[in-house]
Amino acid sequence: MIRQLIIITLLLFGVSGILIGLEILHKKFAINPEYTRKLGHVIGTLASLILLYTIDSHWYVLGLELSIFFILFIGKLKGTFKAIENVNRKSSGSYLFPVSIYILFLVSSKFQNNLFFILPIFLLGISDPLAGLVGILFKAKSRKIKLFSFAFNKTILGSTTFFVSSLILSLITLFAIGFSWQQVILISVLVSSVSTLTELVSPKGIDNLTVPLVSLIVLLITIQ
């Protein structure tokens, strides 16, 4: 128990260090908050993989994620975290990170299958910010996706990037775990397709919750 509490405390200090580092990058080097937000997205999400190999009980993870949620919430109220909040759009994405991570950890623990945590985290921590970054950098050169008369707030290039990166990550992860090539292809195509559609229709940062959960559901259906 003591060991687990020490690890959780160190991780909480690590999260605080990430937030402070992002603020320094934003204020001292005048880096656009869109980029510091994406950087924090990648580091924070991928760092959560540490939980799989250090924490035994989901209750400790719940405590950690609740603490992170309240830190972000209070920071939002006080205007502390400009490096992740000063973007030209409304987004609840930062608050949904802790929720997604806890749910993924809980399910992977209950089924004793790390894949249920690892692959959704890869999509959340790599595919999502990569697609957003491409969408920002090439916004003027890529049209927004339209379905009949409805225009989504996503670009063709951004969604294509999300699909391709999700497919590659799924293929690599499933091959590394040892699935047959038939399973690898089928599951990878399903995960990347459903996740891309989910990311497309999820507004205001909600994809930080919907994308990992949808990919988790696909894995549960196809593997269990």
Side-chain angles (χ1 to χ4, degrees):
M1 178 179 177
I2 299 299
R3 175 180 172 275
Q4 301 281 288
L5 289 174
I6 292 174
I7 292 172
I8 289 297
T9 302
L10 291 174
L11 290 173
L12 192 56
F13 275 114
V15 171
S16 300
I18 292 172
L19 292 171
I20 293 171
L22 294 175
E23 289 301 310
I24 293 173
L25 287 175
H26 173 56
K27 293 177 181 178
K28 187 172 183 178
F29 300 98
I31 297 178
N32 189 317
E34 286 286 0
Y35 300 135
T36 51
R37 183 183 176 92
K38 292 286 185 296
L39 178 61
H41 186 138
V42 174
I43 296 174
T45 308
L46 296 183
S48 68
L49 291 169
I50 296 172
L51 296 170
L52 281 180
Y53 307 102
T54 57
I55 303 301
D56 300 326
S57 172
H58 69 91
W59 293 111
Y60 292 107
V61 178
L62 177 61
L64 173 65
E65 301 308 328
L66 282 174
S67 299
I68 294 173
F69 179 90
F70 283 117
I71 288 173
L72 294 173
F73 181 72
I74 294 172
K76 173 70 172 179
L77 292 179
K78 294 187 175 182
T80 305
F81 304 126
K82 293 180 173 58
I84 62 174
E85 297 292 351
N86 281 10
V87 292
N88 296 322
R89 53 194 167 84
K90 292 183 178 180
S91 175
S92 57
S94 56
Y95 308 110
L96 297 177
F97 272 124
V99 179
S100 294
I101 290 171
Y102 173 68
I103 293 174
L104 293 174
F105 187 89
L106 176 63
V107 174
S108 65
S109 297
K110 293 298 182 182
F111 286 93
Q112 296 184 337
N113 191 331
N114 288 348
L115 176 64
F116 296 153
F117 188 88
I118 294 172
L119 185 53
I121 284 295
F122 281 163
L123 302 189
L124 180 62
I126 298 177
S127 296
D128 188 39
L130 182 60
L133 182 61
V134 169
I136 292 171
L137 293 176
F138 300 98
K139 186 176 182 179
K141 299 180 180 180
S142 182
R143 293 179 297 173
K144 287 190 175 181
I145 298 174
K146 292 184 178 181
L147 183 61
F148 302 111
S149 60
F150 184 82
F152 294 93
N153 192 31
K154 309 287 182 178
T155 64
I156 294 175
L157 186 57
S159 290
T160 301
T161 300
F162 187 95
F163 176 79
V164 173
S165 61
S166 297
L167 182 61
I168 293 173
L169 288 168
S170 298
L171 289 169
I172 293 173
T173 303
L174 293 169
F175 265 125
I177 290 176
F179 284 89
S180 67
W181 67 268
Q182 295 96 330
Q183 289 177 304
V184 168
I185 294 175
L186 173 62
I187 297 173
S188 296
V189 170
L190 285 173
V191 167
S192 53
S193 298
V194 175
S195 297
T196 301
L197 289 174
T198 301
E199 196 270 344
L200 174 64
V201 300
S202 299
K204 298 181 180 180
I206 296 177
D207 55 340
N208 288 340
L209 178 64
T210 57
V211 166
L213 292 190
V214 165
S215 60
L216 172 63
I217 290 171
V218 173
L219 291 174
L220 286 169
I221 292 173
T222 54
I223 294 175
Q224 290 299 313

